[in-house]
Amino acid sequence: MDTWTRIERSGFYPTAVERALRRALGQGEPLATLCQVDTGFDRGSVFRHLTVVSLTRRAIVQLHVDELDGGSANIATAVHRVADIAGYSTMEVFSDPEHADGLSELTIALDLKGARRLDMEPARCEDPNCMADHGYTGTSYPDDLTFRISAAADGRNALDEALEFVDHLASLMGTHGE
């Protein structure tokens, strides 16, 4: 499914989203696009969120749409050069891993050199009777953009589009031949 059909089918202010994406892309067309609608709850209200990520040969365009009180919405757009992508990672879930069959879920995480997630916990030592304060230990993870696509929740087509997105990304990052 092409980008514009995917946005239309999301049903989340498609005219405004398309206009914002076309403005960010200029005259270009995306190689691949991910589109994900989420629902959030805040103080008894339900709010929808839409994230659209489009990949071109030179840039990755990220739109995030938030539904606001009173029926309005805001659209935040970020454009990153492909050359500035520090890396990406994927996690694939297979129902039959022995035959690499039954891909049911794909998580894609892009490191855009912006945000990081830090998981901290108290440091411990081997002595069970130790009462000393050993400080903290932690792990830092890139956390700029993460998409989780599930065949059960998003449909098989969305999962296939996510695989196509990864293939284009790998090509642009130089791990696949042109």
Side-chain angles (χ1 to χ4, degrees):
M1 177 180 326
D2 75 357
T3 296
W4 315 112
T5 304
R6 168 68 62 201
I7 289 171
E8 183 69 33
R9 286 195 180 169
S10 78
F12 194 84
Y13 308 117
T15 304
V17 171
E18 182 176 335
R19 185 176 298 146
L21 183 56
R22 286 193 186 278
R23 186 172 32 259
L25 291 172
Q27 299 300 313
E29 284 291 319
L31 298 170
T33 298
L34 297 173
C35 185
Q36 192 164 61
V37 178
D38 292 312
T39 302
F41 302 93
D42 185 20
R43 293 178 278 243
S45 296
V46 177
F47 295 97
R48 295 177 300 163
H49 305 274
L50 172 69
T51 303
V52 176
V53 178
S54 289
L55 184 63
T56 72
R57 295 214 175 279
R58 296 176 49 201
I60 188 162
V61 178
Q62 175 185 358
L63 273 77
H64 185 80
V65 185
D66 284 312
E67 188 171 45
L68 304 173
D69 285 326
S72 62
N74 65 17
I75 300 174
T77 304
V79 179
H80 308 273
R81 296 180 316 159
V82 167
D84 289 339
I85 298 172
Y88 71 92
S89 61
T90 62
M91 182 181 68
E92 300 170 84
V93 177
F94 290 93
S95 60
D96 183 6
E98 188 166 330
H99 298 100
D101 196 26
L103 179 65
S104 60
E105 187 177 306
L106 175 66
T107 301
I108 305 166
L110 287 169
D111 180 356
L112 300 172
K113 300 180 189 172
R116 295 195 68 81
R117 183 180 80 237
L118 186 60
D119 290 342
M120 299 286 298
E121 64 182 53
R124 295 177 179 80
C125 73
E126 299 295 321
D127 181 359
N129 298 317
C130 180
M131 300 299 287
D133 181 355
H134 294 285
Y136 288 87
T137 185
T139 306
S140 175
Y141 303 96
D143 193 30
D144 284 318
L145 182 60
T146 303
F147 263 84
R148 180 176 172 242
I149 301 93
S150 162
D154 304 303
R156 185 72 218 177
N157 287 342
L159 191 56
D160 291 341
E161 290 169 4
L163 291 168
E164 180 183 345
F165 186 93
V166 170
D167 288 343
H168 282 291
L169 186 58
S171 178
L172 292 172
M173 298 287 292
T175 60
H176 285 189
E178 292 286 327

